Structure formats: C-alpha cells, structure tokens
Amino acid sequence: MFYWLMKQVVVGPLVKALFRVWVVGEENVPRHGAAILASNHLSFIDSVLLPLYLRRRIAFLAKSEYFSGRGLKGWATKTFMSATGQLPIDRSGGKASEASLRTGLKVLSRGSLLGIYPEGTRSPDGKMYRGRTGVARMVLEAGVPIIPVAMIDTEKAMPTGRRLPRIRRMGIIIGEPLDFSRFEGMESDRFILRSVTDELMYEMQRLSRQEYRDVYATSVKEKAAALSR
C-alpha cells in the first residue's frame, strides 16, 4: 500500500510533471513472471525513475548503507528506499556476495521483477565499466530472461554529491530480453559467466552509447581516492 501511494500519489506525479522522462521499449518488460532488468548506473535517481515508469513493481538490490543511517536523515532515506522497492545488500564481498545472490533469487522465485546494476556501483565519470559476473550466475541459476536497460542523462540531472536533481529531461531505453538458456546448468563455469556478462554489457552499451572501459568502476574509484589523499 505504501509503495502504491508513493508511486501513484506522492512521488510519481511530481517526478513525471517536472522531468517529463521519455521511455522507449516498455513493451519489452513481460507482464507476468520473473525477469531481471539490468541497467547502467549513472545516478542515485536511477533507482527512482525506473520503478515509476514500469507498470509492474520492481525490486532493486541497494547497498545496505542506505538502510543503516541514523537520525532524521537516516530514517528518511530508509523509508524512501523501502517505499520504492529497494532491498538492502552487503557489497563487501565473500559471504556477503553470496547473500546478495540469494536475496535476488528469492525475489525471482516469487515471479517478480528484479533490478540490478551489473557494474556494481555508479559510474564515476559517465562511462560504462566492466560488469560483475554475479548477475550472470543469477540469470543461469534462476533460468529467467534478462532485459538490458539504459538510463539516459540521469547523471546530468543528479550527479554524485548533489542532494536534489536539476530539472531537465531524462530518458529510459528498455531493450529486448536476452535468452541465455543455452548455458543452463553451467553457472559454475567462470568462463561462461564472463561470456554472459560481457554479452549483456555489450547490449547495455549499445543502448546507452556510453564509452566503454574494460575495468571495474570500483577500481577506478579506489585509485582516484588514493590519489586525492
């Protein structure tokens, strides 16, 4: 009920009136059944826009820090993330990564839509970076279609560090579902996982037309942080 109120009454009408987001390919999202929507990640606002412009409810895997803040700001962030369908995950690696996978598989086992960012973090400079293979493992274990998504110009409306978005048009391009059923039962093969991930990233890059860099975005961020010390 809270999700519906936020989408249809509180947040949705305001965002749609201010930003006039254009959407291409909404018909590529199945009306029923489980599927993964894999998107590039340019801005915090990505996780807000896509749910607002889909008919079906979608759950995004979001970093747990958004749910653990203190004080009024922490409460407001947690409430907003929960209301827009975000699920907290620990991204510190190891067993935490396995827990994230299991959380995603639970969403898919219910026949729901799952949103995920294969790059693992927001782009530091508007380019697209190498995808993490966790998304491929999830696709093969769940046996569901994966749909590439491109968010357009969201980083220009709300770059990293900005608290409120600028009023400007943005876009969402939803590609045709990708079928990796030919790799059924091969979710433990790291070469297959990399192949699936790279094919997905190619489709996302084709839709977004971002410059692609074959390195992890987290590595770029860590290097930048080290240089700034």
Side-chain angles (χ1 to χ4, degrees):
M1 186 62 168
F2 190 32
Y3 178 89
W4 183 88
L5 285 172
M6 292 291 285
K7 180 174 179 176
Q8 302 294 342
V9 180
V10 182
V11 177
L14 179 62
V15 169
K16 291 180 179 180
L18 289 176
F19 298 100
R20 298 178 296 118
V21 175
W22 52 269
V23 181
V24 174
E26 201 274 337
E27 69 278 3
N28 289 323
V29 179
R31 294 188 177 183
H32 307 284
I36 297 174
L37 278 79
S39 174
N40 61 337
H41 197 13
L42 298 170
S43 170
F44 172 82
I45 204 173
D46 295 337
S47 300
V48 177
L49 291 183
L50 190 56
L52 291 179
Y53 285 86
L54 293 182
R55 296 178 184 178
R56 293 180 60 186
R57 180 167 182 168
I58 179 173
F60 265 98
L61 300 182
K63 61 182 181 180
S64 57
E65 290 91 331
Y66 287 137
F67 296 81
S68 58
R70 298 182 178 181
L72 181 60
K73 181 180 178 182
W75 174 85
T77 301
K78 179 180 179 180
T79 300
F80 179 80
M81 298 299 285
S82 299
T84 51
Q86 317 299 308
L87 298 174
I89 60 168
D90 187 333
R91 302 191 305 182
S92 57
K95 292 182 179 180
S97 296
E98 186 69 22
S100 300
L101 174 72
R102 295 303 159 198
T103 299
L105 290 174
K106 285 181 181 179
V107 172
L108 296 170
S109 69
R110 299 196 296 262
S112 301
L113 293 180
L114 176 69
I116 194 167
Y117 299 115
E119 293 167 278
T121 187
R122 277 177 283 179
S123 170
D125 52 15
K127 298 175 184 176
M128 181 174 287
Y129 287 86
R130 196 178 201 211
R132 300 280 180 175
T133 58
V135 64
R137 184 179 167 195
M138 197 177 296
V139 169
L140 298 185
E141 284 203 24
V144 299
I146 186 164
I147 303 163
V149 176
M151 307 302 293
I152 308 297
D153 291 338
T154 54
E155 82 285 9
K156 296 176 182 177
M158 193 172 182
T160 301
R162 187 178 176 87
R163 294 186 177 182
L164 295 174
R166 302 184 181 99
I167 306 301
R168 61 162 296 145
R169 293 205 76 180
M170 295 170 282
I172 302 172
I173 302 176
I174 303 172
E176 296 183 1
L178 302 176
D179 180 10
F180 292 107
S181 59
R182 63 189 183 276
F183 298 125
E184 182 180 358
M186 304 177 73
E187 60 270 12
S188 298
D189 188 319
R190 62 189 180 93
F191 296 105
I192 294 296
L193 295 181
R194 174 46 58 191
S195 177
V196 169
T197 304
D198 288 347
E199 184 174 335
L200 169 64
M201 299 307 295
Y202 172 81
E203 287 299 316
M204 289 167 53
Q205 191 275 333
R206 186 180 64 83
L207 295 176
S208 69
R209 297 186 179 181
Q210 292 169 263
E211 180 183 339
Y212 179 78
R213 292 191 62 192
D214 194 27
V215 295
Y216 292 119
T218 49
S219 299
V220 174
K221 288 184 175 182
E222 289 169 359
K223 185 178 293 186
L227 292 173
S228 64
R229 291 172 185 167

